[in-house]
Amino acid sequence: MRRRLVAGNWKMNGSMASAAMVDEIAALSRDCDVLICPPFTLIAGLSGRGIPLGGQDCHTEAQGAHTGDISAEMLRDAGAVAVIVGHSERRTDHGETDALVAAKALAAWRAGLLAIVCIGETEAERDAGRTLEVIGTQLAGSVPDGATPARLVVAYEPVWAIGTGRTPTSDQIVEVHGFIRRTLAERFGKDAAEGIRLLYGGSVKPGNAAEIFALADVDGALVGGASLAAADFAPIIAAAG
Ligand code: PGA
């Protein structure tokens, strides 16, 4: 019942030359949703090529005196249908708190965008046995009231797995995704929780995608490095269906 989603997070990479890669991805036959989140500067230029686009962040307000920031409404205006909020690199580089992430998710909804809310433990938190506690706190604080399958996706991205080539074991992913699903059910009801897609993110590659997609409560992936070239991204999409 949940259609898989493979979302590419280009981070601070890419240029208009990447349009060729987007065209290659758009030409693939697939049975899953695909989304590419390029830098802000590329959204308008890459829109209309057959692949839905998302932003990597947004401000909480619609407009105003916030030099260097981009609003959810601006993303929508440029052609985006989604936005990533609370990525661990935003939390670390820009000190984003759960409360700010929740406000950004609300801004996304205000603008009619799908919010992809990212959560994940650090290696020290996992080593201390605190993973589920941390995930529970982030989920409670970063996801606003009113979540529905149409406007929320949750991405579980262990900080220690991002860009490192390391991934959790299958059991670890299943444990966290199951916990997220149960926690969402307690708060938003079983029907909503059963429809909300949960992505795994962190060193997803062509070689491990099929195994990860087969896990319970994994509804797709948020892919960083391997979303930058069609040769890597296409087999991940193929593994999703
Ligand atoms: P990675 O990044 O696939 O390069 O590990 C994932 C992410 O940060 O979204």
Side-chain angles (χ1 to χ4, degrees):
M1 76 188 262
R2 294 184 299 268
R3 189 171 161 84
R4 284 191 179 132
L5 169 64
V6 179
N9 171 14
W10 285 6
K11 309 189 179 185
M12 201 169 71
N13 297 290
S15 67
M16 271 313 292
S18 314
M21 179 268 185
V22 175
D23 291 342
E24 269 186 73
I25 296 299
L28 300 172
S29 68
R30 58 185 186 271
D31 194 19
C32 63
D33 291 338
V34 175
L35 177 77
I36 289 180
C37 300
F40 296 138
T41 50
L42 297 179
I43 291 175
L46 295 179
S47 75
R49 309 187 85 95
I51 294 289
L53 302 174
Q56 299 173 13
D57 177 49
C58 66
H59 196 273
T60 57
E61 292 177 31
Q63 74 279 310
H66 303 289
T67 302
D69 280 314
I70 299 283
S71 72
E73 282 77 0
M74 289 169 173
L75 292 174
R76 173 88 184 207
D77 183 55
V81 297
V83 61
I84 298 168
V85 292
H87 190 280
S88 76
E89 287 151 19
R90 299 286 319 171
R91 292 176 185 262
T92 303
D93 295 357
H94 301 274
E96 295 195 3
T97 61
D98 286 332
L100 180 62
V101 174
K104 290 183 174 197
L106 275 180
W109 295 350
R110 181 188 65 217
L113 300 179
L114 174 74
I116 302 174
V117 175
C118 301
I119 55 178
E121 82 285 1
T122 63
E123 185 157 36
E125 288 164 343
R126 177 163 283 277
D127 289 347
R130 294 184 52 225
T131 298
L132 297 187
E133 171 201 331
V134 168
I135 295 298
T137 300
Q138 290 181 339
L139 206 50
S142 303
V143 174
D145 289 340
T148 67
R151 51 193 204 168
L152 177 72
V153 166
V154 176
Y156 168 53
E157 298 207 304
V159 177
W160 52 273
I162 295 175
T164 59
R166 297 165 60 206
T167 52
T169 64
S170 294
D171 285 352
Q172 288 171 331
I173 296 175
V174 167
E175 179 188 36
V176 174
H177 279 234
F179 175 77
I180 294 170
R181 182 88 60 207
R182 288 194 302 280
T183 305
L184 291 174
E186 280 165 20
R187 184 163 163 208
F188 300 111
K190 196 167 186 315
D191 286 355
E194 284 299 319
I196 293 171
R197 290 179 290 184
L198 309 184
L199 308 185
Y200 168 77
S203 296
V204 175
K205 308 284 179 211
N208 61 18
E211 192 181 330
I212 291 170
F213 293 149
L215 299 175
D217 287 310
V218 174
D219 306 309
L222 183 54
V223 185
S227 72
L228 294 173
D232 296 320
F233 202 36
I236 294 173
I237 293 166

